[in-house]
Amino acid sequence: MSAEPPLLLMRGIVKQFPGVRALDGVDLEVRRGEVHCLLGQNGAGKSTLIKILSGAHQPDEGVIALGGEEVRLTGPTAAIRLGISTIYQELDLVDGLSVAENVFLGHERARLGFVRQGEANRATRDLLTRLGHPEIRPSTEVGRLSPAAKQVVSMARALSHDTRLIIMDEPSAALAHDEVANLFRIVRELTSRGVAVVYISHRLEEIREIGDRVTVLKDGRTAAVGLPAKSTPTSEIVSLMTGRTVEYVFPPRRPRPATGSEVLRVTGLTVPGVVEDVSFTIGAGEIVGLAGLVGSGRSEIIEAVYGARRASGEVVLEGRPMGRGRTAGRGGTAAAVRLGMGLAPEERKAQALLLDQSVAHNITLAGLGRYSRFGWLDRRRESAEARELVETLDIRPGDPDRPIKTLSGGNQQKAVLARWLVGERRLLLLDEPTRGVDVGARAELYAVIRRLADEGIGVLLVSSEVPEVLGLADRVLVVREGRIIHRADAQDLDEHRVLDMIMEGSAL
Amino acid sequence: MTVAADERLAGTGLVRRLLIRPELGAVVGAVVVFAFFASRSETFRSVAGVANWLDPASTLGIMAVAIALLMIGGEFDLSAGVLTGTTGLITVILATRYGFAIPVAMLAALAAALLVGFLNGLIVVRTGLPSFIVTLGTFLMLQGINLGVTKALTGTVQVGGLRRAEGYEQARAALAGTVSLGGADFRVAILWWLGVTALATWVLMRTRAGNWIFAVGGDERAARAVGVPAGRTKIALFMTTAGAAWLVGSILALRFTSVQANAGLGQEFVYIIAAVIGGCLLTGGYGSAVGASIGAVIFGMADKGIVFAGWDADWFTFFLGAMLLLATLANRLVRRYAEEVRH
């Protein structure tokens, strides 16, 4: 190593959240002018590390040094002042302000409090031209821009500071192919000036093309530091990312009768631009897993099946075709529920739970029609049924009258599942059912899901965690860029191969 | 290299740029209301008539503009109406009972108002409680103070006699006098209102403070992430609203030379309604000062126009409700149209 200290040095970073040790001693070293890639599966600790670097979180332990000097990143402003800019995946732009106003927000070009708008517009135009997008006008309201253009604006904002280090969190996720080329051109221009880029992406081919070195995170620890990005074999990278230190216990699969009836048949499902000609079936008692990256179209497939998203193609539930071009509300989701579908959405707290209400109320919510007679709710029957489900699913603490927000993530998720056991369910759609559920509670949740399947319900499961899909599902569909690129029995696949496929698209 | 944004950026025509202005609904509403009453009453469209309906618009307009700034910043202030009464009461009581010169009494009232605004802001920023609740609390407390103190001092529910206080004539000329124009007497308050609107528009469009207001109201998290002093911006906005309440309270006290203990009560929603007619969103981050002013003009025209047209003034609130619905519906339709055009 040269005598010059690295631009950024992080040593032994630890960050603890209630119930989770998100980072457990992470090391990172970034040199001037390099593109340093950060790799790791979901939950490996990448986003926490970024948040610490951008000043949004403070580490519990560990040392951060910039240019050889130890620093404390006490807040976003402190990080920006030290020359660290972050471009988050969900871009931090204010829609109501113009492009130029967003670029200079918080450090306006002002004299006596008055913004020199002409100067800000000129400077913004220069930055946008440098970024290869002179056609974006500085005076346009940001809310009117396309996602790709918004990202360029975020980039311009990062450049408007005197930046030494830019963190890009999945910058290519929202971009079309030719726009990625432009992004890379910008990254190269930045690094040629000595700016360092911390680049986070799931796409290995991008890392090969743009990256200099790679740091791999696994379970909140650094699995490898500073591997050469171009020459490290894919198999080595993948094996560094896989092989969890925590082993999950998956319930045993039951051999299914070969003549099991079909619960769901999806034919030619297409959501323009996201999902392309997807067909599959789910049998009674079968768990089918969709493995794929965020943005691969797996959540959209679930939403389209549920009728919450406009799609073409055919969805047939137990021989009954669901309407075409269904949308939320208008016979879409309501019909789906009536005909026996149930959804446990990805954002449990935002989309599935009434946090202040009791466990019982959250469970019976979808089936209130069952307890009402002439508009009156039969509260006694409602709470009796809820109590029964709390016992069956072993929701703890076993008090149906507790506010649901006092329960752990795993038990909240059980309550969401319990909701769909009220009444006749034929098909359960589970989107990231174990997100935010701690490791110990996962096994219980897996057991519950398997038991539901054994009772004859079909289950469609989406998870970012490949081991979970492989361990829980009977059959696995690998999804990449909106298409099913591989299908196989879960027993015939291993984590290594699936990761290989969803990252490189090298099926077979 | 091109992005798909190309064409839609180039296609920003003049008509569309006008259509997406937040004040469009208010402008259309104002034109319709004016045409309606002008066709019913000759007095309404005369110079004297205009002077007459601009009068209520002016004091309401000053408040509506301040509330609009606050709403763009993502907050509400329900205490603003009663605060106009509080500041008026302080000025009159200090000037008539304790012998203060009116300018001194007014400065004391201003200090009190700014303190209330500061506390409103501080509580909202520090606790994260919704400003609707926090200022509802201050609103009720101020209402109690106004009534309690007035009764304790005078035994009645009003304080008066400001005419005899020192510096009355000059203060009245500056804040509550009239200016002759085209054979009619226009209230000086109209000039203050135009000044406040111009100042607020300038701040919103041309200063960093204006950027910050839109940013904290539009996306507070994003604003904080880039170093916008979100807390200070909000506190300043509450203090601005309180300052406007002081200005209006002083104008009204000088005009009537007396203040009722319940002055300003019920006005807080009128300010919000004017700001909403003027294009402000309840969710913050969007709106304009000019729009709020035009919202106030609609109020003024309806207030006086109903009398000019010879109708029962009891119908005023019905009219307002209809205006509110129509203007916000128009704003919404236009916004949706503007958003669809770009797809």
Side-chain angles (χ1 to χ4, degrees), chain B residues 139-184:
Chain B
F139 159 57
L140 294 171
M141 286 164 69
L142 286 175
Q143 190 191 348
I145 291 176
N146 287 1
L147 198 60
V149 171
T150 309
K151 266 188 160 168
L153 285 178
T154 67
T156 66
V157 292
Q158 85 166 50
V159 290
L162 194 60
R163 200 183 298 277
R164 295 183 302 277
E166 186 192 337
Y168 170 74
E169 288 306 327
Q170 295 91 321
R172 182 183 165 84
L175 290 173
T178 56
V179 181
S180 269
L181 196 75

Side-chain angles (χ1 to χ4, degrees), chain B residues 62-80 117 120-121 124-125 131-132 135 200 204 212-214 216-218 230-242 244 268 271-272 275 280-289 292:
Chain B
I62 293 170
M63 288 311 296
V65 166
I67 291 287
L69 294 188
L70 184 67
M71 284 177 68
I72 295 170
E75 302 294 343
F76 288 101
D77 189 350
L78 297 182
S79 67
N120 273 339
V124 167
V125 169
S131 53
F132 195 92
T135 59
L204 275 181
W212 294 349
I213 293 170
F214 276 107
V216 295
R232 270 191 286 150
T233 305
K234 290 199 166 175
I235 292 176
L237 283 173
F238 278 105
M239 292 177 75
T240 304
T241 309
E268 55 285 332
Y271 309 150
I272 294 174
C280 286
L281 294 182
L282 289 181
T283 46
Y286 190 79
S288 95

Side-chain angles (χ1 to χ4, degrees), chain A residues 14-83:
Chain A
V14 172
K15 180 70 189 176
Q16 182 98 31
F17 290 113
V20 193
R21 205 170 171 87
L23 295 182
D24 191 13
V26 167
D27 300 333
L28 181 66
E29 183 216 286
V30 182
R31 297 178 192 148
R32 281 189 74 224
E34 77 165 339
V35 178
H36 197 105
C37 301
L38 207 52
L39 267 173
Q41 296 205 53
N42 279 35
K46 286 172 304 189
S47 2
T48 312
L49 189 64
I50 299 168
K51 286 194 175 135
I52 285 176
L53 261 181
S54 61
H57 287 331
Q58 315 306 318
D60 298 326
E61 285 170 41
V63 180
I64 305 173
L66 266 179
E69 267 175 64
E70 194 178 330
V71 293
R72 284 174 51 96
L73 304 169
T74 50
T77 321
I80 290 169
R81 255 192 226 121
L82 287 167

Side-chain angles (χ1 to χ4, degrees), chain A residues 76-77 80 92 97 101 105 108 110 113-115 117 133 135-137 140 143-146 157 178-179 182, chain B residues 1 3 6 8-9 12 16 20 202 205-208 211-212 214-215 219 221-222 225-228 338 342:
Chain A
T77 321
I80 290 169
D92 266 347
L97 289 178
E101 284 163 343
L105 187 61
E108 287 84 356
F114 293 110
V115 173
Q117 208 151 38
H133 286 279
E135 79 287 348
I136 299 176
R137 286 201 278 178
T140 309
R144 309 190 169 282
L145 296 177
S146 68
R157 178 155 83 193
D178 57 338
E179 292 161 348
N182 186 49
Chain B
M1 166 94 7
V3 281
D6 260 351
R8 60 180 86 134
L9 290 179
T12 319
R16 261 206 58 217
I20 60 173
W202 176 256
M205 309 307 284
R206 286 286 180 271
T207 69
R208 50 194 303 178
N211 269 1
W212 294 349
F214 276 107
D219 190 338
R221 193 180 55 87
V226 295
V228 170
R342 71 193 157 114

Side-chain angles (χ1 to χ4, degrees), chain A residues 445-457:
Chain A
L445 211 48
Y446 295 145
V448 168
I449 294 171
R450 173 53 69 186
R451 203 165 77 218
L452 293 176
D454 288 344
E455 282 166 20
I457 294 175

